[in-house]
Amino acid sequence: MKRNKPLALVAGAALLTLAACGGGGDDSSSSGSGSDREFGAQEGGSKDAERQGPAAEIEGATAGGTVTVYLPGDPGPNSLDPTDGWSVTGNSIQQALTHRSLTQYVRDEEGQPVLVPDLATDLGTPNDDFTEWTFTIREDAKWEDGKPVTAEEVAWGIQRSLDSDTFPSGPGTEYSKHYFLGAEDYNGPYTDKGKTYDGITVSGQDVTIKMETPFPDMDYWGAFMAMGPAPLGNASKPPNYGQDPLSNGPYMIEDFQPNQELTLVKNEQWDPNSDPGRHQYVDKWVFKFNQDQAQVDQIMLSDNTDSQTAISTALGSDKYTEANEALGERLVQQTSQCVSTLTPDYSKITDINVRKALAYAYPYEDMWFATGEVPGVTRIPANSVMPPGMAGKVDFQVDGEQITYNPEKAKELLAEAGEEGYQITMVYYEVDPLAVAGQKQLTKGFEEAGFQVKAIPVQVSPYDIWLDPDNKTNKQLNLRGVNWCSDWPAGSTMIPPLLKTDAVYNTAGFSEPEIDQKMDDIATMPLEDQADAWGALDEEIMTDYFPIIPTAFRNDLFVFGSKVGNPTGDGALGAPNYKDVYVMQ
């Protein structure tokens, strides 16, 4: 999951949590803070192509009420255009509540994600080599204005995802542009206005997508809003459409103030019989962005009127012990398939020993504490790009054992490289007190390990700088970062987005033609061989090049008020399980 997109802002190196997390995790016991909790094993999930609406009722659920969701330190999306949505924050809200796509996820009884139909009647039909997929669009889905959602509108919405100039941070830049037939020569309906694109066709209720290269994961890609409908022509023209898009889900937008607040109310045109995965128990949703963590913690732990029907998407580390003891099942831990990283500039920091020295110079636990995380709970040590629980992941260590903060080892590596006193230039988000606190720990750790540090304060998201090759500040940097969650449970959604030449979120600028070719080759392998191939490539890249420093695998903590029913997490979206929430009456 990517950037907002404004994405969930993470303090410290001031990174963002990207992409729609695609499930997965591990069964390691929480540790480090005396927690007795365990993050249960979350597998890649399963599929149910036959699932139809209505969604199974939640036991004891009642209708009515307003739920307020506090998002501490999270600026939220600047736009609600579904084609632009590729963040944990935006995706989790919109995919669950307002915008439908070809497929979707539901949560089974064990909390595992299940891929099921959404606007399509099943999970799609591929040809033998996965170079063509056909989805039949159901006839009983409607927009908020009562008009039916048509196959032509679904095709138009999908075609919009090919316009990477108009939606440069949208998920289509990674998937549609790479996999769809002729997409490299077609720049989308706005940039190539009037140009015909034949890769997506409509016949009756069938939408057929032709591929440039085999794409067996198209059914997973279908769960993104970008693979859903948009009103035809100028009715969905950006950027205005992103401020008030039409809903086709159970809720519609009443008010949207970017980076401040989003209010959703019931969409009376939504038919539960048309939707295999969503409910409409709550009357109104109010999402409050950029909230102060300490104030939110105080509200949620008070059990006062404001907190009883509220949800918080985070918990301050200083309140973890108290919350763990007091809240019981209302403090929900959710395993995710997310990795936090630092990304040394591959064209500037060319010696692998200097990149490894940075890994030993990173003060892991001090950083986690300073930025409000709970070591062993919301952050656990990472060894690679692919997270625990992902099919094909190899259990290896680059240096034979887990890399931890070791300033003396870092100094040895710098000396071996002949780079004592190497200067690191980076930015940090000075607006966020946690980011400032994290940068202080990072600078201290780097300097104790023999580096010099130039930390540049900025008042915009670091991604606004990192992702702009023409930005003057970005040109000075030799250390950036990225936090990434799998878009679905496969190495193809982790390694190419972060490490392929010219990938949008390859903030390291890593480029090795041999590795690029291996990524392309894996996509043409038999489906049953691909997972192990991604795992082997993960190990090869990290061992031979070490171009990216995995600083943590990530888990989430969500706090639910005492009158919020069914307090659970959504492993597919890395967020509270908005689809199944109700207010106790």
Side-chain angles (χ1 to χ4, degrees):
M1 245 167 266
K2 323 122 337 23
R3 278 341 126 178
N4 277 112
K5 69 175 203 178
L7 277 189
L9 189 62
V10 173
L15 313 180
L16 295 173
T17 298
L18 309 179
C21 296
D26 73 343
D27 58 355
S28 59
S29 174
S30 302
S31 61
S33 295
S35 167
D36 58 358
R37 289 176 174 263
E38 292 185 358
F39 284 80
Q42 182 172 296
E43 312 301 334
S46 58
K47 300 179 183 181
D48 183 357
E50 305 301 320
R51 187 78 61 97
Q52 298 299 317
E57 292 294 329
I58 303 301
E59 184 177 356
T62 54
T66 296
V67 172
T68 300
V69 182
Y70 297 103
L71 296 100
D74 187 335
N78 287 322
S79 169
L80 299 179
D81 193 314
T83 303
D84 211 22
W86 199 15
S87 71
V88 169
T89 303
N91 281 13
S92 63
I93 296 170
Q94 292 178 256
Q95 287 180 238
L97 302 174
T98 63
H99 285 83
R100 302 177 64 178
S101 53
L102 294 172
T103 62
Q104 63 176 318
Y105 293 96
V106 297
R107 187 178 187 273
D108 70 13
E109 293 180 356
E110 284 72 44
Q112 306 296 338
V114 182
L115 188 71
V116 303
D118 193 354
L119 288 176
T121 58
D122 55 23
L123 297 180
T125 302
N127 62 359
D128 289 342
D129 63 357
F130 298 100
T131 57
E132 185 174 294
W133 282 78
T134 297
F135 294 87
T136 301
I137 307 305
R138 63 177 66 251
E139 298 181 352
D140 53 356
K142 295 181 181 180
W143 295 100
E144 64 183 68
D145 60 7
K147 295 179 180 178
V149 174
T150 67
E152 288 80 6
E153 289 170 324
V154 173
W156 171 249
I158 295 172
Q159 187 174 333
R160 292 170 96 237
S161 73
L162 292 162
D163 203 320
S164 56
D165 288 342
T166 302
F167 305 107
S169 296
T173 59
E174 177 63 34
Y175 300 112
S176 297
K177 291 293 287 184
H178 177 71
Y179 286 105
F180 290 7
L181 182 66
E184 292 297 330
D185 298 320
Y186 175 70
N187 297 313
Y190 307 110
T191 302
D192 276 350
K193 188 175 182 179
K195 185 176 180 179
T196 300
Y197 177 64
D198 297 325
I200 302 171
T201 58
V202 176
S203 177
Q205 290 299 109
D206 290 346
V207 175
T208 298
I209 308 169
K210 297 179 181 179
M211 305 297 165
E212 188 73 38
T213 187
F215 191 23
D217 288 341
M218 181 62 219
D219 50 355
Y220 283 112
W221 175 217
F224 276 74
M225 293 184 293
M227 295 296 99
L232 299 177
N234 288 333
S236 59
K237 187 176 181 179
N240 292 341
Y241 186 66
Q243 299 308 300
D244 189 20
L246 280 180
S247 167
N248 46 59
Y251 295 89
M252 60 185 186
I253 298 156
E254 180 180 72
D255 182 59
F256 176 44
Q257 302 173 48
N259 307 135
Q260 297 181 47
E261 190 167 299
L262 169 65
T263 302
L264 307 178
V265 294
K266 282 187 174 182
N267 172 14
E268 300 298 340
Q269 297 298 325
W270 173 79
D271 181 359
N273 293 313
S274 78
D275 196 327
R278 297 175 183 84
H279 296 106
Q280 197 187 49
Y281 296 129
V282 177
D283 284 341
K284 178 183 288 189
W285 292 85
V286 180
F287 294 86
K288 293 181 176 291
F289 305 109
N290 262 334
Q291 299 295 292
D292 179 78
Q293 183 71 71
Q295 292 180 6
V296 172
D297 290 344
Q298 184 177 11
I299 292 171
M300 297 306 299
L301 288 168
S302 69
D303 198 32
N304 63 18
T305 302
D306 289 338
S307 76
Q308 289 175 351
T309 58
I311 301 171
S312 174
T313 60
L315 175 73
S317 58
D318 60 324
K319 298 297 184 182
Y320 176 70
T321 299
E322 178 183 353
N324 193 34
E325 294 174 352
L327 298 180
E329 67 176 12
R330 293 195 287 118
L331 178 61
V332 172
Q333 68 270 24
Q334 177 62 56
T335 307
S336 65
Q337 282 195 317
C338 304
V339 62
S340 297
T341 75
L342 289 181
T343 56
D345 191 304
Y346 195 70
S347 66
K348 296 177 181 178
I349 304 179
T350 57
D351 193 315
I352 191 173
N353 285 325
V354 178
R355 298 195 292 271
K356 285 188 175 181
L358 283 167
Y360 284 104
Y362 187 89
Y364 298 89
E365 291 208 357
D366 288 344
M367 279 289 293
W368 298 337
F369 277 120
T371 57
E373 302 300 339
V374 185
V377 180
T378 63
R379 297 292 181 270
I380 60 175
N383 69 315
S384 66
V385 174
M386 290 173 63
M390 180 167 281
K393 177 179 171 60
V394 179
D395 184 14
F396 72 95
Q397 297 291 345
V398 170
D399 275 1
E401 60 183 5
Q402 179 65 50
I403 293 177
T404 59
Y405 179 55
N406 187 338
E408 295 307 314
K409 176 69 172 179
K411 290 177 182 177
E412 292 175 7
L413 288 166
L414 287 177
E416 185 176 342
E419 295 287 4
E420 296 94 333
Y422 194 96
Q423 180 169 304
I424 293 300
T425 304
M426 62 190 303
V427 297
Y428 68 96
Y429 188 52
E430 67 173 338
V431 176
D432 185 348
L434 291 179
V436 174
Q439 185 62 51
K440 288 180 180 178
Q441 293 298 325
L442 191 57
T443 297
K444 178 182 177 183
F446 280 177
E447 289 179 345
E448 288 182 354
F451 288 94
Q452 298 181 49
V453 179
K454 180 181 179 181
I456 303 172
V458 297
Q459 294 190 343
V460 298
S461 161
Y463 276 89
D464 291 343
I465 297 170
W466 294 335
L467 300 182
D468 182 0
D470 298 322
N471 184 278
K472 292 181 180 179
T473 300
N474 193 27
K475 292 179 179 180
Q476 302 176 47
L477 308 181
N478 61 5
L479 184 64
R480 303 178 185 90
V482 65
N483 286 352
W484 197 262
C485 302
S486 65
D487 289 319
W488 54 86
S492 59
T493 72
M494 297 296 295
I495 296 174
L498 296 181
L499 293 168
K500 193 168 187 179
T501 299
D502 296 331
V504 174
Y505 290 94
N506 179 0
T507 57
F510 177 67
S511 180
E512 292 289 345
E514 180 182 355
I515 297 299
D516 286 346
Q517 186 61 54
K518 289 184 177 182
M519 293 184 198
D520 289 338
D521 291 344
I522 291 174
T524 66
M525 290 181 176
L527 189 58
E528 62 270 18
D529 297 335
Q530 291 186 17
D532 288 343
W534 284 119
L537 186 59
D538 185 20
E539 182 177 16
E540 177 184 349
I541 292 171
M542 295 301 295
T543 302
D544 294 351
Y545 300 97
F546 201 69
I548 189 169
I549 301 167
T551 60
F553 292 130
R554 303 161 56 84
N555 297 311
D556 299 308
L557 287 173
F558 307 130
V559 185
F560 290 78
S562 58
K563 291 186 177 180
V564 177
N566 196 35
T568 50
D570 185 335
L573 295 176
N577 180 20
Y578 301 127
K579 287 184 178 181
D580 298 338
V581 158
Y582 64 93
V583 175
M584 299 179 186
Q585 302 298 320

